[in-house]
Amino acid sequence: MKTLIKGTLISPISKEEVLFLDPGYIVINNEGKIDEIYSREPDGQYPEVFDFSDKLICPGFVDIHNHLPQFTISGLYRGNLLEWLNNIVFPTEERFANAEIAEKYAREFFQAVLRNGTTTTVSYVTIHKKATDKAFEQAEKVGIRAFLGNVLMDQKAPEYLTKNSAQLLEDSEEIVKKWDGMDKGRLHYVLTPRFALSCSFDLLEGIGKLAQKYDLYIQSHLAESKAELEMVSKIYSDFENYTDIYMKAGLLTEKTIMAHCIYLNPDEIDTLNRTGTKISHCPSSNRFLQSGIMPFRKLEKAELSIGLGSDVGAGYSLSMFSEMREAIESSKMIKFLHPEKEYSPLSSIEAFYLATLGGAKALSLEDEIGSLDVGKSADFSVIDYQKLNPCNEDFFNEPENIIARMIYGGAEKYIEKVFIRGKEVFRTE
Ligand SMILES: [Zn+2]
């Protein structure tokens, strides 16, 4: 059975180019994939037709870094990264030992993610196996694309949030077997060492082996704050630098996403490039915890693949519009801080690319998600166009202006519906 969708299509093609069809038509096949895209109403009979005239059809966002248990503590500042972890994050994550709480949080979290127009989320859960299982159950139920992992820590964290490395790897393997690749790849397991500080080298090496055995995704944090860097260099004094630890443990692969990457030297950037490691840019979190500003253009110039992460709860919002805004504004700050350097801040179109195709690429899924294109999954949101342009200004109808208004106008509140694989998974009441 084929479905016809009518609306104003806006979607990235590249970092510079955008598809804009007003009106546009999408034909979706019974597998939930986009069969055709037209600029005129196609002939033929469609058993199901959705007329979204005066609405924007925008590809679902891809949030490649956030923390499920932290979404109700976002905005609660308790000092820099290490202080904040000890003061507020760890006590919150402890509560996930209770499976009922874990289930409730997961349900609320995924609904909040969808409400913001994000159709793919890459999330840390907690150390608890049962909580991670509950998160997968809820993701399966609400229909979201979810990449999830139990947080792995065997040192330098409260006892209630650590286990020995053998136990952690055993837990992970069990969850991999149950959930990785479920529902034709809608759900994936991600090996999730929190960061080098909270993991022994034995554990990191074990994770590397497991990744290889099952061809798994890996996510972690890298070079986020100066205090963290100092502690890592003390604990891992035999290694050349922070990146070298992950490298020697076998954790840097094409399926690895490293968040933050603020303080990297040229050798480290080169290592990330050689291994195909992907970067999650988390600008709101970097500012919130006073960690620093990621040198976006430097990493981009080194041809690293970069996507955007809300990093909730250090990021204060699950909205990728908000994160795009932060990405642009933080790049302007670099210009302020280094007026002597040639530096062009991010454009709205570039930020839009990062939150969609950039994220898809970071997951090596650019042939499946991240834009409205023939052969890809029909993952999109429906946004009220009139509310973005209440005075009906003609000049507004340029794709660059529309994207800028979405980013700066807080378009999440105008999202009316969200579809994944052509099926509605969220609608406003
Ligand atoms: Zn994080």
Side-chain angles (χ1 to χ4, degrees):
M1 190 174 93
K2 294 201 174 184
T3 304
L4 180 66
I5 306 272
K6 178 187 178 186
T8 301
L9 311 187
I10 191 153
S11 174
I13 295 172
S14 68
K15 285 174 191 170
E16 298 90 24
E17 273 182 291
V18 175
L19 167 84
F20 182 63
L21 290 180
D22 181 23
Y25 299 84
I26 301 176
V27 177
I28 302 172
N29 67 24
N30 56 6
E31 288 175 352
K33 289 189 173 165
I34 299 174
D35 251 2
E36 306 282 351
I37 292 180
Y38 298 100
S39 56
R40 301 172 76 173
E41 186 156 359
D43 296 332
Q45 292 292 312
Y46 295 94
E48 201 171 26
V49 178
F50 291 101
D51 186 352
F52 297 130
S53 299
D54 297 328
K55 314 279 181 200
L56 286 168
I57 311 288
C58 170
F61 294 123
V62 183
D63 181 350
I64 63 168
H65 181 87
N66 61 55
H67 299 255
L68 182 155
Q70 296 175 19
F71 95 106
T72 57
I73 56 163
S74 57
L76 308 185
Y77 184 69
R78 296 289 190 282
N80 67 29
L81 171 67
L82 302 176
E83 292 161 347
W84 175 78
L85 284 173
N86 286 316
N87 293 336
I88 191 157
V89 172
F90 291 153
T92 303
E93 294 195 1
E94 183 189 11
R95 301 179 61 217
F96 278 62
N98 178 324
E100 262 175 53
I101 289 179
E103 185 175 14
K104 181 172 180 276
Y105 261 72
R107 189 169 53 243
E108 296 295 330
F109 174 79
F110 291 126
Q111 281 166 356
V113 172
L114 288 176
R115 199 159 57 231
N116 281 285
T118 297
T119 48
T120 301
T121 180
V122 185
S123 311
Y124 292 50
V125 188
T126 60
I127 196 166
H128 311 98
K129 187 172 70 176
K130 190 81 190 157
T132 310
D133 191 50
K134 288 287 175 198
F136 270 114
E137 266 177 32
Q138 289 304 314
E140 185 182 39
K141 225 182 221 174
V142 305
I144 196 166
R145 285 182 193 276
F147 294 69
L148 309 172
N150 46 323
V151 176
L152 305 172
M153 298 198 280
D154 67 346
Q155 65 179 28
K156 302 263 180 243
E159 212 172 298
Y160 58 78
L161 283 184
T162 54
K163 292 184 187 178
N164 70 54
S165 61
Q167 183 63 58
L168 287 168
L169 297 171
E170 203 177 291
D171 287 357
S172 295
E173 200 156 359
E174 214 177 289
I175 308 170
V176 169
K177 286 178 184 163
K178 184 166 177 193
W179 289 106
D180 187 48
M182 282 294 285
D183 194 17
K184 295 180 199 147
R186 182 167 63 81
L187 305 174
H188 272 286
Y189 179 77
V190 189
L191 283 159
T192 307
R194 178 166 234 128
F195 58 170
L197 264 189
S198 60
C199 300
S200 67
F201 194 70
D202 262 6
L203 174 59
L204 294 175
E205 264 190 329
I207 294 167
K209 282 181 191 144
L210 210 54
Q212 215 177 10
K213 182 173 175 189
Y214 292 100
D215 188 24
L216 298 173
Y217 285 98
I218 300 173
Q219 59 181 345
S220 195
H221 299 87
L222 172 62
E224 178 175 357
S225 84
K226 284 191 172 163
E228 167 208 12
L229 238 64
E230 220 170 275
M231 285 183 74
V232 169
S233 70
K234 271 184 201 150
I235 295 178
Y236 283 105
S237 55
D238 294 345
F239 292 81
E240 280 176 38
N241 50 52
Y242 199 159
T243 304
D244 190 42
I245 305 165
Y246 293 141
M247 171 71 194
K248 293 210 165 103
L251 296 188
L252 301 184
T253 74
E254 289 185 352
K255 291 180 87 172
T256 300
I257 298 175
M258 284 290 162
H260 304 288
C261 298
I262 299 174
Y263 303 103
L264 298 175
N265 69 33
D267 285 348
E268 293 181 278
I269 293 173
D270 187 52
T271 303
L272 295 178
N273 180 292
R274 267 189 296 112
T275 51
T277 302
K278 312 300 195 294
I279 311 296
S280 174
H281 183 25
C282 308
S284 64
S285 156
N286 293 344
R287 194 148 72 151
F288 184 76
L289 294 177
Q290 303 181 61
S291 301
I293 304 176
M294 190 190 89
F296 183 85
R297 294 285 182 219
K298 193 160 128 189
L299 301 188
E300 187 191 42
K301 210 170 153 198
E303 293 182 3
L304 292 173
S305 171
I306 306 172
L308 273 189
S310 67
D311 198 15
V312 156
Y316 54 82
S317 169
L318 280 170
S319 165
M320 295 305 278
F321 293 110
S322 163
E323 210 54 45
M324 287 185 255
R325 196 155 64 235
E326 287 279 355
I328 298 169
E329 297 308 305
S330 72
S331 72
K332 289 177 186 166
M333 287 306 292
I334 293 184
K335 212 171 161 55
F336 270 124
L337 294 168
H338 303 284
E340 75 288 358
K341 284 190 183 166
E342 277 284 309
Y343 194 89
S344 54
L346 260 76
S347 70
S348 298
I349 290 180
E350 283 179 293
F352 187 52
Y353 172 87
L354 288 178
T356 49
L357 259 183
K361 246 182 133 178
L363 289 165
S364 306
L365 291 178
E366 66 271 31
D367 293 334
E368 204 176 324
I369 56 172
S371 62
L372 304 173
D373 206 350
V374 172
K376 288 196 179 185
S377 182
D379 294 9
F380 61 88
S381 60
V382 179
I383 298 171
D384 192 324
Y385 196 23
Q386 292 299 314
K387 283 183 183 157
L388 280 173
N389 182 22
C391 297
N392 225 2
E393 298 282 6
D394 273 349
F395 70 85
F396 184 80
N397 291 322
E398 292 290 324
E400 192 164 1
N401 293 342
I402 294 172
I403 290 169
R405 281 286 295 170
M406 288 200 292
I407 292 174
Y408 286 95
E412 63 269 22
K413 57 182 178 281
Y414 306 137
I415 292 176
E416 294 187 347
K417 289 175 190 235
V418 178
F419 289 73
I420 293 178
R421 289 181 175 164
K423 295 266 173 298
E424 187 183 298
V425 288
F426 165 79
R427 67 159 66 194
T428 44
E429 296 304 321

